[in-house]
Amino acid sequence: MTALILLIDQVLAIYTYVVIASAVFSWLFAFNIVNPRNQIVSSIYEVCWRLTEPVLGRIRSILPAVGGLDLSPVILLLGIFFVRNLLRTGIY
């Protein structure tokens, strides 16, 4: 059982980085810092977007709009940190 909990914890840790990368890429595209026509950058963003959008879309449907800011990645990261802490306290 401990191995399963550690595996879930590691998957959540990797997903944390994917959420952060997706948010950073969206900012870079919004401020025209990165060219969205670049195939490599575009493909990395596409993978990040496909992995995070199902969860972030659900959060956005519940969360009210806050002055044009998308707070859904923050809420998702807080949820991931909460679940990871629950898993860690269950192990020890």
Side-chain angles (χ1 to χ4, degrees), residues 43-91:
S43 64
I44 292 171
Y45 176 67
E46 177 85 18
V47 168
C48 290
W49 185 80
R50 287 182 185 262
L51 289 173
T52 58
E53 188 55 31
V55 179
L56 292 176
R58 289 186 182 139
I59 294 172
R60 281 187 204 110
S61 68
I62 297 170
L63 195 67
V66 182
L69 292 175
D70 184 16
L71 296 178
S72 58
V74 175
I75 302 298
L76 178 59
L77 289 174
L78 288 174
I80 289 172
F81 296 152
F82 178 73
V83 170
R84 288 186 71 199
N85 283 331
L86 282 178
L87 290 174
R88 288 179 188 154
T89 56
I91 293 174

mmCIF file of all heavy atoms in Angstrom, residues 43-91:
data_model
loop_
_atom_site.group_PDB
_atom_site.id
_atom_site.type_symbol
_atom_site.label_atom_id
_atom_site.label_comp_id
_atom_site.label_asym_id
_atom_site.label_seq_id
_atom_site.Cartn_x
_atom_site.Cartn_y
_atom_site.Cartn_z
ATOM 1 N N SER A 43 4.141 22.670 -29.514
ATOM 2 C CA SER A 43 3.832 21.283 -29.158
ATOM 3 C C SER A 43 3.950 21.044 -27.653
ATOM 4 O O SER A 43 3.155 20.298 -27.067
ATOM 5 C CB SER A 43 4.721 20.318 -29.927
ATOM 6 O OG SER A 43 6.067 20.487 -29.576
ATOM 7 N N ILE A 44 4.926 21.677 -27.016
ATOM 8 C CA ILE A 44 5.048 21.538 -25.555
ATOM 9 C C ILE A 44 3.828 22.148 -24.870
ATOM 10 O O ILE A 44 3.260 21.553 -23.948
ATOM 11 C CB ILE A 44 6.348 22.198 -25.057
ATOM 12 C CG1 ILE A 44 7.560 21.428 -25.556
ATOM 13 C CG2 ILE A 44 6.366 22.267 -23.533
ATOM 14 C CD1 ILE A 44 8.881 22.114 -25.292
ATOM 15 N N TYR A 45 3.424 23.336 -25.339
ATOM 16 C CA TYR A 45 2.243 23.969 -24.757
ATOM 17 C C TYR A 45 0.993 23.131 -25.007
ATOM 18 O O TYR A 45 0.143 23.022 -24.122
ATOM 19 C CB TYR A 45 2.052 25.371 -25.325
ATOM 20 C CG TYR A 45 0.791 26.036 -24.830
ATOM 21 C CD1 TYR A 45 0.663 26.388 -23.493
ATOM 22 C CD2 TYR A 45 -0.275 26.268 -25.678
ATOM 23 C CE1 TYR A 45 -0.489 26.974 -23.018
ATOM 24 C CE2 TYR A 45 -1.435 26.862 -25.213
ATOM 25 C CZ TYR A 45 -1.535 27.208 -23.885
ATOM 26 O OH TYR A 45 -2.688 27.775 -23.422
ATOM 27 N N GLU A 46 0.892 22.530 -26.187
ATOM 28 C CA GLU A 46 -0.275 21.695 -26.513
ATOM 29 C C GLU A 46 -0.378 20.507 -25.553
ATOM 30 O O GLU A 46 -1.464 20.181 -25.064
ATOM 31 C CB GLU A 46 -0.156 21.200 -27.956
ATOM 32 C CG GLU A 46 -1.246 20.284 -28.392
ATOM 33 C CD GLU A 46 -2.467 21.008 -28.899
ATOM 34 O OE1 GLU A 46 -2.353 22.197 -29.232
ATOM 35 O OE2 GLU A 46 -3.527 20.375 -28.944
ATOM 36 N N VAL A 47 0.749 19.870 -25.265
ATOM 37 C CA VAL A 47 0.748 18.738 -24.326
ATOM 38 C C VAL A 47 0.345 19.210 -22.938
ATOM 39 O O VAL A 47 -0.501 18.580 -22.274
ATOM 40 C CB VAL A 47 2.134 18.051 -24.303
ATOM 41 C CG1 VAL A 47 2.242 17.078 -23.143
ATOM 42 C CG2 VAL A 47 2.406 17.349 -25.613
ATOM 43 N N CYS A 48 0.931 20.310 -22.487
ATOM 44 C CA CYS A 48 0.582 20.845 -21.162
ATOM 45 C C CYS A 48 -0.894 21.215 -21.103
ATOM 46 O O CYS A 48 -1.576 20.930 -20.111
ATOM 47 C CB CYS A 48 1.444 22.057 -20.831
ATOM 48 S SG CYS A 48 3.162 21.691 -20.525
ATOM 49 N N TRP A 49 -1.388 21.855 -22.167
ATOM 50 C CA TRP A 49 -2.787 22.280 -22.188
ATOM 51 C C TRP A 49 -3.726 21.077 -22.156
ATOM 52 O O TRP A 49 -4.721 21.074 -21.422
ATOM 53 C CB TRP A 49 -3.063 23.128 -23.429
ATOM 54 C CG TRP A 49 -4.431 23.705 -23.461
ATOM 55 C CD1 TRP A 49 -4.867 24.809 -22.801
ATOM 56 C CD2 TRP A 49 -5.561 23.198 -24.169
ATOM 57 N NE1 TRP A 49 -6.190 25.018 -23.069
ATOM 58 C CE2 TRP A 49 -6.643 24.056 -23.905
ATOM 59 C CE3 TRP A 49 -5.746 22.101 -25.009
ATOM 60 C CZ2 TRP A 49 -7.892 23.831 -24.439
ATOM 61 C CZ3 TRP A 49 -7.008 21.892 -25.541
ATOM 62 C CH2 TRP A 49 -8.059 22.761 -25.261
ATOM 63 N N ARG A 50 -3.417 20.040 -22.925
ATOM 64 C CA ARG A 50 -4.277 18.845 -22.951
ATOM 65 C C ARG A 50 -4.270 18.105 -21.612
ATOM 66 O O ARG A 50 -5.250 17.469 -21.257
ATOM 67 C CB ARG A 50 -3.854 17.905 -24.069
ATOM 68 C CG ARG A 50 -4.222 18.403 -25.437
ATOM 69 C CD ARG A 50 -3.821 17.398 -26.497
ATOM 70 N NE ARG A 50 -4.063 17.911 -27.820
ATOM 71 C CZ ARG A 50 -5.148 17.620 -28.531
ATOM 72 N NH1 ARG A 50 -6.071 16.848 -28.034
ATOM 73 N NH2 ARG A 50 -5.296 18.119 -29.737
ATOM 74 N N LEU A 51 -3.166 18.171 -20.898
ATOM 75 C CA LEU A 51 -3.101 17.500 -19.596
ATOM 76 C C LEU A 51 -3.798 18.290 -18.493
ATOM 77 O O LEU A 51 -4.316 17.701 -17.537
ATOM 78 C CB LEU A 51 -1.644 17.252 -19.204
ATOM 79 C CG LEU A 51 -0.899 16.178 -19.998
ATOM 80 C CD1 LEU A 51 0.565 16.164 -19.608
ATOM 81 C CD2 LEU A 51 -1.524 14.811 -19.765
ATOM 82 N N THR A 52 -3.814 19.614 -18.606
ATOM 83 C CA THR A 52 -4.358 20.415 -17.511
ATOM 84 C C THR A 52 -5.762 20.949 -17.763
ATOM 85 O O THR A 52 -6.487 21.224 -16.807
ATOM 86 C CB THR A 52 -3.442 21.616 -17.219
ATOM 87 O OG1 THR A 52 -3.307 22.402 -18.401
ATOM 88 C CG2 THR A 52 -2.092 21.164 -16.732
ATOM 89 N N GLU A 53 -6.153 21.119 -19.010
ATOM 90 C CA GLU A 53 -7.423 21.771 -19.306
ATOM 91 C C GLU A 53 -8.650 21.031 -18.773
ATOM 92 O O GLU A 53 -9.592 21.684 -18.312
ATOM 93 C CB GLU A 53 -7.561 22.010 -20.809
ATOM 94 C CG GLU A 53 -8.764 22.840 -21.180
ATOM 95 C CD GLU A 53 -8.820 24.187 -20.471
ATOM 96 O OE1 GLU A 53 -7.757 24.762 -20.174
ATOM 97 O OE2 GLU A 53 -9.935 24.656 -20.203
ATOM 98 N N PRO A 54 -8.708 19.690 -18.789
ATOM 99 C CA PRO A 54 -9.904 19.046 -18.218
ATOM 100 C C PRO A 54 -10.148 19.412 -16.751
ATOM 101 O O PRO A 54 -11.276 19.661 -16.346
ATOM 102 C CB PRO A 54 -9.622 17.551 -18.376
ATOM 103 C CG PRO A 54 -8.674 17.473 -19.512
ATOM 104 C CD PRO A 54 -7.834 18.713 -19.434
ATOM 105 N N VAL A 55 -9.083 19.481 -15.972
ATOM 106 C CA VAL A 55 -9.230 19.812 -14.548
ATOM 107 C C VAL A 55 -9.448 21.315 -14.366
ATOM 108 O O VAL A 55 -10.330 21.743 -13.613
ATOM 109 C CB VAL A 55 -7.990 19.344 -13.756
ATOM 110 C CG1 VAL A 55 -8.130 19.695 -12.293
ATOM 111 C CG2 VAL A 55 -7.778 17.862 -13.941
ATOM 112 N N LEU A 56 -8.653 22.120 -15.078
ATOM 113 C CA LEU A 56 -8.781 23.574 -14.939
ATOM 114 C C LEU A 56 -10.125 24.070 -15.462
ATOM 115 O O LEU A 56 -10.683 25.023 -14.924
ATOM 116 C CB LEU A 56 -7.634 24.275 -15.668
ATOM 117 C CG LEU A 56 -6.242 24.086 -15.072
ATOM 118 C CD1 LEU A 56 -5.199 24.756 -15.940
ATOM 119 C CD2 LEU A 56 -6.183 24.603 -13.660
ATOM 120 N N GLY A 57 -10.647 23.442 -16.490
ATOM 121 C CA GLY A 57 -11.959 23.839 -17.016
ATOM 122 C C GLY A 57 -13.066 23.633 -16.004
ATOM 123 O O GLY A 57 -13.976 24.459 -15.880
ATOM 124 N N ARG A 58 -12.993 22.541 -15.265
ATOM 125 C CA ARG A 58 -14.000 22.291 -14.209
ATOM 126 C C ARG A 58 -13.887 23.314 -13.094
ATOM 127 O O ARG A 58 -14.893 23.778 -12.550
ATOM 128 C CB ARG A 58 -13.838 20.888 -13.662
ATOM 129 C CG ARG A 58 -14.255 19.832 -14.641
ATOM 130 C CD ARG A 58 -14.215 18.462 -14.026
ATOM 131 N NE ARG A 58 -14.585 17.477 -15.027
ATOM 132 C CZ ARG A 58 -13.995 16.311 -15.167
ATOM 133 N NH1 ARG A 58 -13.004 15.980 -14.357
ATOM 134 N NH2 ARG A 58 -14.371 15.477 -16.092
ATOM 135 N N ILE A 59 -12.650 23.661 -12.740
ATOM 136 C CA ILE A 59 -12.460 24.662 -11.685
ATOM 137 C C ILE A 59 -12.963 26.018 -12.157
ATOM 138 O O ILE A 59 -13.606 26.749 -11.410
ATOM 139 C CB ILE A 59 -10.977 24.727 -11.262
ATOM 140 C CG1 ILE A 59 -10.569 23.416 -10.601
ATOM 141 C CG2 ILE A 59 -10.731 25.899 -10.328
ATOM 142 C CD1 ILE A 59 -9.094 23.303 -10.314
ATOM 143 N N ARG A 60 -12.693 26.360 -13.425
ATOM 144 C CA ARG A 60 -13.158 27.642 -13.968
ATOM 145 C C ARG A 60 -14.680 27.730 -14.002
ATOM 146 O O ARG A 60 -15.242 28.811 -13.855
ATOM 147 C CB ARG A 60 -12.633 27.834 -15.388
ATOM 148 C CG ARG A 60 -11.218 28.278 -15.439
ATOM 149 C CD ARG A 60 -10.803 28.617 -16.863
ATOM 150 N NE ARG A 60 -9.377 28.497 -16.989
ATOM 151 C CZ ARG A 60 -8.737 27.552 -17.674
ATOM 152 N NH1 ARG A 60 -9.416 26.662 -18.355
ATOM 153 N NH2 ARG A 60 -7.430 27.524 -17.702
ATOM 154 N N SER A 61 -15.348 26.603 -14.207
ATOM 155 C CA SER A 61 -16.820 26.637 -14.242
ATOM 156 C C SER A 61 -17.405 26.900 -12.857
ATOM 157 O O SER A 61 -18.503 27.435 -12.739
ATOM 158 C CB SER A 61 -17.365 25.327 -14.803
ATOM 159 O OG SER A 61 -17.110 24.259 -13.910
ATOM 160 N N ILE A 62 -16.683 26.554 -11.817
ATOM 161 C CA ILE A 62 -17.150 26.773 -10.443
ATOM 162 C C ILE A 62 -16.693 28.128 -9.917
ATOM 163 O O ILE A 62 -17.442 28.843 -9.262
ATOM 164 C CB ILE A 62 -16.631 25.645 -9.523
ATOM 165 C CG1 ILE A 62 -17.200 24.302 -9.960
ATOM 166 C CG2 ILE A 62 -16.981 25.928 -8.068
ATOM 167 C CD1 ILE A 62 -16.566 23.122 -9.268
ATOM 168 N N LEU A 63 -15.454 28.490 -10.236
ATOM 169 C CA LEU A 63 -14.832 29.700 -9.713
ATOM 170 C C LEU A 63 -15.357 30.938 -10.434
ATOM 171 O O LEU A 63 -15.392 30.972 -11.656
ATOM 172 C CB LEU A 63 -13.316 29.596 -9.908
ATOM 173 C CG LEU A 63 -12.416 30.544 -9.161
ATOM 174 C CD1 LEU A 63 -12.492 30.263 -7.670
ATOM 175 C CD2 LEU A 63 -10.998 30.368 -9.639
ATOM 176 N N PRO A 64 -15.764 31.964 -9.708
ATOM 177 C CA PRO A 64 -16.220 33.192 -10.376
ATOM 178 C C PRO A 64 -15.041 33.962 -10.967
ATOM 179 O O PRO A 64 -13.901 33.827 -10.522
ATOM 180 C CB PRO A 64 -16.874 33.992 -9.242
ATOM 181 C CG PRO A 64 -16.220 33.506 -8.007
ATOM 182 C CD PRO A 64 -15.888 32.060 -8.251
ATOM 183 N N ALA A 65 -15.317 34.762 -11.982
ATOM 184 C CA ALA A 65 -14.269 35.568 -12.617
ATOM 185 C C ALA A 65 -13.802 36.650 -11.650
ATOM 186 O O ALA A 65 -14.604 37.309 -11.001
ATOM 187 C CB ALA A 65 -14.796 36.201 -13.888
ATOM 188 N N VAL A 66 -12.491 36.820 -11.571
ATOM 189 C CA VAL A 66 -11.913 37.784 -10.651
ATOM 190 C C VAL A 66 -11.101 38.792 -11.456
ATOM 191 O O VAL A 66 -9.896 38.645 -11.620
ATOM 192 C CB VAL A 66 -11.019 37.089 -9.600
ATOM 193 C CG1 VAL A 66 -10.452 38.100 -8.622
ATOM 194 C CG2 VAL A 66 -11.767 36.005 -8.881
ATOM 195 N N GLY A 67 -11.755 39.778 -12.006
ATOM 196 C CA GLY A 67 -11.082 40.865 -12.698
ATOM 197 C C GLY A 67 -10.187 40.442 -13.846
ATOM 198 O O GLY A 67 -9.142 41.030 -14.051
ATOM 199 N N GLY A 68 -10.549 39.418 -14.573
ATOM 200 C CA GLY A 68 -9.758 38.976 -15.707
ATOM 201 C C GLY A 68 -8.610 38.055 -15.347
ATOM 202 O O GLY A 68 -7.880 37.615 -16.229
ATOM 203 N N LEU A 69 -8.426 37.754 -14.077
ATOM 204 C CA LEU A 69 -7.369 36.848 -13.658
ATOM 205 C C LEU A 69 -7.897 35.417 -13.611
ATOM 206 O O LEU A 69 -9.004 35.170 -13.128
ATOM 207 C CB LEU A 69 -6.835 37.217 -12.277
ATOM 208 C CG LEU A 69 -6.078 38.522 -12.159
ATOM 209 C CD1 LEU A 69 -5.733 38.780 -10.704
ATOM 210 C CD2 LEU A 69 -4.834 38.496 -13.003
ATOM 211 N N ASP A 70 -7.099 34.500 -14.105
ATOM 212 C CA ASP A 70 -7.457 33.087 -14.047
ATOM 213 C C ASP A 70 -6.799 32.480 -12.817
ATOM 214 O O ASP A 70 -5.595 32.227 -12.803
ATOM 215 C CB ASP A 70 -7.002 32.385 -15.318
ATOM 216 C CG ASP A 70 -7.432 30.936 -15.370
ATOM 217 O OD1 ASP A 70 -8.326 30.549 -14.586
ATOM 218 O OD2 ASP A 70 -6.891 30.195 -16.208
ATOM 219 N N LEU A 71 -7.580 32.269 -11.796
ATOM 220 C CA LEU A 71 -7.058 31.723 -10.548
ATOM 221 C C LEU A 71 -7.162 30.204 -10.469
ATOM 222 O O LEU A 71 -6.794 29.616 -9.456
ATOM 223 C CB LEU A 71 -7.782 32.352 -9.360
ATOM 224 C CG LEU A 71 -7.585 33.852 -9.192
ATOM 225 C CD1 LEU A 71 -8.399 34.350 -7.999
ATOM 226 C CD2 LEU A 71 -6.130 34.199 -9.013
ATOM 227 N N SER A 72 -7.639 29.573 -11.527
ATOM 228 C CA SER A 72 -7.826 28.127 -11.487
ATOM 229 C C SER A 72 -6.511 27.361 -11.293
ATOM 230 O O SER A 72 -6.512 26.363 -10.557
ATOM 231 C CB SER A 72 -8.566 27.645 -12.732
ATOM 232 O OG SER A 72 -7.881 27.989 -13.896
ATOM 233 N N PRO A 73 -5.371 27.752 -11.885
ATOM 234 C CA PRO A 73 -4.131 27.020 -11.576
ATOM 235 C C PRO A 73 -3.737 27.114 -10.106
ATOM 236 O O PRO A 73 -3.235 26.150 -9.533
ATOM 237 C CB PRO A 73 -3.073 27.683 -12.466
ATOM 238 C CG PRO A 73 -3.826 28.306 -13.564
ATOM 239 C CD PRO A 73 -5.131 28.719 -12.968
ATOM 240 N N VAL A 74 -3.986 28.247 -9.490
ATOM 241 C CA VAL A 74 -3.659 28.413 -8.076
ATOM 242 C C VAL A 74 -4.516 27.482 -7.222
ATOM 243 O O VAL A 74 -4.018 26.808 -6.314
ATOM 244 C CB VAL A 74 -3.838 29.881 -7.637
ATOM 245 C CG1 VAL A 74 -3.615 30.034 -6.157
ATOM 246 C CG2 VAL A 74 -2.917 30.787 -8.421
ATOM 247 N N ILE A 75 -5.809 27.437 -7.532
ATOM 248 C CA ILE A 75 -6.718 26.554 -6.794
ATOM 249 C C ILE A 75 -6.319 25.095 -6.989
ATOM 250 O O ILE A 75 -6.309 24.303 -6.035
ATOM 251 C CB ILE A 75 -8.182 26.796 -7.246
ATOM 252 C CG1 ILE A 75 -8.586 28.251 -7.026
ATOM 253 C CG2 ILE A 75 -9.128 25.837 -6.558
ATOM 254 C CD1 ILE A 75 -8.551 28.688 -5.585
ATOM 255 N N LEU A 76 -5.971 24.732 -8.229
ATOM 256 C CA LEU A 76 -5.555 23.357 -8.505
ATOM 257 C C LEU A 76 -4.273 23.017 -7.758
ATOM 258 O O LEU A 76 -4.164 21.935 -7.161
ATOM 259 C CB LEU A 76 -5.361 23.148 -10.007
ATOM 260 C CG LEU A 76 -4.876 21.767 -10.441
ATOM 261 C CD1 LEU A 76 -5.834 20.679 -9.986
ATOM 262 C CD2 LEU A 76 -4.692 21.721 -11.936
ATOM 263 N N LEU A 77 -3.307 23.918 -7.756
ATOM 264 C CA LEU A 77 -2.061 23.650 -7.035
ATOM 265 C C LEU A 77 -2.294 23.526 -5.533
ATOM 266 O O LEU A 77 -1.698 22.664 -4.883
ATOM 267 C CB LEU A 77 -1.032 24.738 -7.330
ATOM 268 C CG LEU A 77 -0.444 24.718 -8.739
ATOM 269 C CD1 LEU A 77 0.456 25.927 -8.949
ATOM 270 C CD2 LEU A 77 0.312 23.437 -8.993
ATOM 271 N N LEU A 78 -3.163 24.361 -4.985
ATOM 272 C CA LEU A 78 -3.494 24.227 -3.555
ATOM 273 C C LEU A 78 -4.142 22.873 -3.271
ATOM 274 O O LEU A 78 -3.848 22.237 -2.256
ATOM 275 C CB LEU A 78 -4.413 25.364 -3.123
ATOM 276 C CG LEU A 78 -3.768 26.745 -3.019
ATOM 277 C CD1 LEU A 78 -4.834 27.799 -2.724
ATOM 278 C CD2 LEU A 78 -2.696 26.758 -1.955
ATOM 279 N N GLY A 79 -5.005 22.438 -4.167
ATOM 280 C CA GLY A 79 -5.632 21.117 -4.010
ATOM 281 C C GLY A 79 -4.611 19.993 -4.088
ATOM 282 O O GLY A 79 -4.663 19.032 -3.313
ATOM 283 N N ILE A 80 -3.682 20.103 -5.023
ATOM 284 C CA ILE A 80 -2.642 19.076 -5.150
ATOM 285 C C ILE A 80 -1.771 19.042 -3.899
ATOM 286 O O ILE A 80 -1.464 17.963 -3.373
ATOM 287 C CB ILE A 80 -1.790 19.326 -6.411
ATOM 288 C CG1 ILE A 80 -2.595 19.025 -7.670
ATOM 289 C CG2 ILE A 80 -0.523 18.476 -6.388
ATOM 290 C CD1 ILE A 80 -1.907 19.419 -8.951
ATOM 291 N N PHE A 81 -1.379 20.217 -3.403
ATOM 292 C CA PHE A 81 -0.563 20.263 -2.187
ATOM 293 C C PHE A 81 -1.317 19.667 -0.999
ATOM 294 O O PHE A 81 -0.733 18.961 -0.177
ATOM 295 C CB PHE A 81 -0.138 21.692 -1.869
ATOM 296 C CG PHE A 81 0.761 22.307 -2.907
ATOM 297 C CD1 PHE A 81 0.770 23.664 -3.106
ATOM 298 C CD2 PHE A 81 1.597 21.530 -3.694
ATOM 299 C CE1 PHE A 81 1.588 24.242 -4.056
ATOM 300 C CE2 PHE A 81 2.431 22.096 -4.647
ATOM 301 C CZ PHE A 81 2.422 23.450 -4.823
ATOM 302 N N PHE A 82 -2.614 19.925 -0.923
ATOM 303 C CA PHE A 82 -3.426 19.384 0.166
ATOM 304 C C PHE A 82 -3.476 17.856 0.093
ATOM 305 O O PHE A 82 -3.268 17.168 1.099
ATOM 306 C CB PHE A 82 -4.833 19.975 0.103
ATOM 307 C CG PHE A 82 -5.763 19.454 1.148
ATOM 308 C CD1 PHE A 82 -5.631 19.842 2.459
ATOM 309 C CD2 PHE A 82 -6.770 18.552 0.817
ATOM 310 C CE1 PHE A 82 -6.491 19.357 3.438
ATOM 311 C CE2 PHE A 82 -7.626 18.063 1.774
ATOM 312 C CZ PHE A 82 -7.486 18.467 3.092
ATOM 313 N N VAL A 83 -3.716 17.316 -1.103
ATOM 314 C CA VAL A 83 -3.795 15.862 -1.261
ATOM 315 C C VAL A 83 -2.446 15.221 -0.984
ATOM 316 O O VAL A 83 -2.369 14.166 -0.330
ATOM 317 C CB VAL A 83 -4.303 15.504 -2.677
ATOM 318 C CG1 VAL A 83 -4.159 14.017 -2.962
ATOM 319 C CG2 VAL A 83 -5.751 15.928 -2.846
ATOM 320 N N ARG A 84 -1.372 15.846 -1.453
ATOM 321 C CA ARG A 84 -0.041 15.292 -1.192
ATOM 322 C C ARG A 84 0.271 15.277 0.305
ATOM 323 O O ARG A 84 0.861 14.317 0.815
ATOM 324 C CB ARG A 84 1.022 16.084 -1.937
ATOM 325 C CG ARG A 84 0.990 15.822 -3.434
ATOM 326 C CD ARG A 84 2.113 16.479 -4.144
ATOM 327 N NE ARG A 84 3.358 15.779 -3.814
ATOM 328 C CZ ARG A 84 4.566 16.303 -3.978
ATOM 329 N NH1 ARG A 84 4.692 17.531 -4.441
ATOM 330 N NH2 ARG A 84 5.637 15.620 -3.672
ATOM 331 N N ASN A 85 -0.130 16.325 1.022
ATOM 332 C CA ASN A 85 0.083 16.337 2.478
ATOM 333 C C ASN A 85 -0.760 15.275 3.165
ATOM 334 O O ASN A 85 -0.303 14.649 4.128
ATOM 335 C CB ASN A 85 -0.214 17.718 3.055
ATOM 336 C CG ASN A 85 0.904 18.700 2.795
ATOM 337 O OD1 ASN A 85 2.057 18.304 2.685
ATOM 338 N ND2 ASN A 85 0.559 19.967 2.674
ATOM 339 N N LEU A 86 -1.977 15.057 2.695
ATOM 340 C CA LEU A 86 -2.801 13.985 3.257
ATOM 341 C C LEU A 86 -2.155 12.627 3.030
ATOM 342 O O LEU A 86 -2.158 11.777 3.936
ATOM 343 C CB LEU A 86 -4.195 13.986 2.631
ATOM 344 C CG LEU A 86 -5.187 15.022 3.113
ATOM 345 C CD1 LEU A 86 -6.495 14.899 2.345
ATOM 346 C CD2 LEU A 86 -5.444 14.874 4.590
ATOM 347 N N LEU A 87 -1.614 12.413 1.837
ATOM 348 C CA LEU A 87 -0.955 11.139 1.553
ATOM 349 C C LEU A 87 0.281 10.959 2.414
ATOM 350 O O LEU A 87 0.544 9.848 2.901
ATOM 351 C CB LEU A 87 -0.567 11.071 0.072
ATOM 352 C CG LEU A 87 -1.723 10.937 -0.918
ATOM 353 C CD1 LEU A 87 -1.204 11.035 -2.347
ATOM 354 C CD2 LEU A 87 -2.453 9.631 -0.713
ATOM 355 N N ARG A 88 1.036 12.007 2.601
ATOM 356 C CA ARG A 88 2.267 11.904 3.401
ATOM 357 C C ARG A 88 1.963 11.636 4.870
ATOM 358 O O ARG A 88 2.685 10.882 5.522
ATOM 359 C CB ARG A 88 3.085 13.170 3.274
ATOM 360 C CG ARG A 88 3.724 13.310 1.927
ATOM 361 C CD ARG A 88 4.510 14.585 1.845
ATOM 362 N NE ARG A 88 4.961 14.796 0.482
ATOM 363 C CZ ARG A 88 5.225 15.970 -0.010
ATOM 364 N NH1 ARG A 88 5.107 17.063 0.729
ATOM 365 N NH2 ARG A 88 5.621 16.089 -1.252
ATOM 366 N N THR A 89 0.928 12.254 5.399
ATOM 367 C CA THR A 89 0.607 12.002 6.805
ATOM 368 C C THR A 89 0.036 10.608 6.990
ATOM 369 O O THR A 89 0.142 10.044 8.070
ATOM 370 C CB THR A 89 -0.385 13.036 7.353
ATOM 371 O OG1 THR A 89 -1.548 13.046 6.544
ATOM 372 C CG2 THR A 89 0.237 14.424 7.393
ATOM 373 N N GLY A 90 -0.534 10.041 5.951
ATOM 374 C CA GLY A 90 -1.054 8.676 6.035
ATOM 375 C C GLY A 90 0.062 7.641 6.044
ATOM 376 O O GLY A 90 -0.104 6.541 6.556
ATOM 377 N N ILE A 91 1.208 7.982 5.465
ATOM 378 C CA ILE A 91 2.322 7.030 5.393
ATOM 379 C C ILE A 91 3.034 6.939 6.731
ATOM 380 O O ILE A 91 3.363 5.882 7.222
ATOM 381 C CB ILE A 91 3.329 7.442 4.297
ATOM 382 C CG1 ILE A 91 2.692 7.304 2.926
ATOM 383 C CG2 ILE A 91 4.592 6.607 4.359
ATOM 384 C CD1 ILE A 91 3.565 7.823 1.807
#
